Amino acid sequence: MRSDGAVSAADAAWSLVVPLKPLVRAKSRLSRAAGEQFRPQFALAFALDTVAAALACADVRDVAVVTDDEVAGEHLAALGARIVPDTPARGLNAALAHGAAAVRARRPGAPVAALNADLPALRPAELELVLHSAALFPRAFLADAADIGTTLLCATSGVELAPAFGGASRARHLASGAREITALDVPSVRRDVDTGEDLRAALALGVGPYTARQVPQQAFGAPAGPKGLPPEVRASGA
């Protein structure tokens, strides 16, 4: 806040909270498609691409990753994320509430958003569109590609995040009074990855470089393209 009472661009920028399970337990439904050996590597790659794209978004001031995974924490901190230990250890929504509280302990007036860690095709420009729309409402959210879950939940300054992620979270967030953002064409922000089919859909959108480097090891039946990558893989971030 400036001394004249106006809100500066830095004050208005969003702080994102990204939850990440320990890699040994993350993305269990991907094992059948990716193989148990590669599943943790994909989980880390998804998180790295998600956080890198989020940090490249003009409306994002910072990203706090709530995780107890030391390896993931080191890699994500190297990108510029703040690592917040999951001290509640009571599941996803408790971790998100804890992360939001940690953000606002440093910046009380921060608008805060919870973002899934499994958005490997995330585009900064599409995330910016969603955050612009979310800023118009006290709480707002974006449903996942299946219209069942939630990939992004936002709370403006002074409003509690009140996360209700997991399973059919779209219905719960609607019931809580959060406004659903529906008018935007932002497939990369809605495309979370839990299964092999989800990953194929993300590859069709174009995944980020960390996920792209994992794909040659488990190419999901796609013929190799230039530099050994399946033809549907291209670096995101634009």
Side-chain angles (χ1 to χ4, degrees):
M1 183 76 71
R2 297 200 324 234
S3 59
D4 61 3
V7 178
S8 70
D11 290 328
W14 293 84
S15 288
L16 269 53
V17 179
V18 177
L20 182 62
K21 290 180 181 179
L23 297 178
V24 295
R25 295 193 285 109
K27 297 290 122 194
S28 58
R29 293 167 59 194
L30 196 60
S31 291
R32 182 174 179 180
E36 185 62 20
Q37 176 184 357
F38 297 109
R39 175 189 53 75
Q41 297 174 31
F42 271 110
L44 177 57
F46 297 164
L48 289 168
D49 280 325
T50 299
V51 170
L55 287 169
C57 177
D59 278 8
V60 173
R61 174 179 171 129
D62 50 29
V63 175
V65 178
V66 183
T67 188
D68 283 335
D69 192 291
E70 293 185 5
V71 171
E74 289 177 4
H75 283 83
L76 291 162
L79 291 181
R82 174 188 174 194
I83 306 305
V84 178
D86 183 10
T87 52
R90 296 194 307 271
L92 175 58
N93 291 306
L96 287 169
H98 173 63
V103 165
R104 285 179 169 166
R106 289 189 172 188
R107 194 161 68 104
V112 176
L115 180 70
N116 285 9
D118 57 355
L119 301 170
L122 184 63
R123 303 294 201 272
E126 291 186 10
L127 178 59
E128 184 177 2
L129 287 174
V130 179
L131 293 174
H132 277 179
S133 293
L136 300 176
F137 309 101
R139 289 174 67 244
F141 74 95
L142 187 72
D144 64 11
D147 283 325
I148 295 172
T150 304
T151 58
L152 182 73
L153 173 68
C154 302
T156 52
S157 180
V159 179
E160 290 300 316
L161 188 62
F165 283 80
S169 62
R170 174 177 178 259
R172 290 195 298 276
H173 286 134
L174 274 173
S176 75
R179 179 67 64 95
E180 183 175 9
I181 298 169
T182 59
L184 300 177
D185 182 21
V186 287
S188 78
V189 196
R190 301 184 66 196
R191 181 70 275 167
D192 56 346
V193 175
D194 289 313
T195 67
E197 183 178 349
D198 295 338
L199 182 52
R200 287 182 184 277
L203 293 175
L205 290 174
V207 295
Y210 297 97
T211 301
R213 283 198 286 269
Q214 295 299 321
V215 172
Q217 301 179 41
Q218 291 288 317
F220 296 88
K227 300 183 180 179
L229 295 179
E232 69 270 32
V233 178
R234 59 187 174 84
S236 66

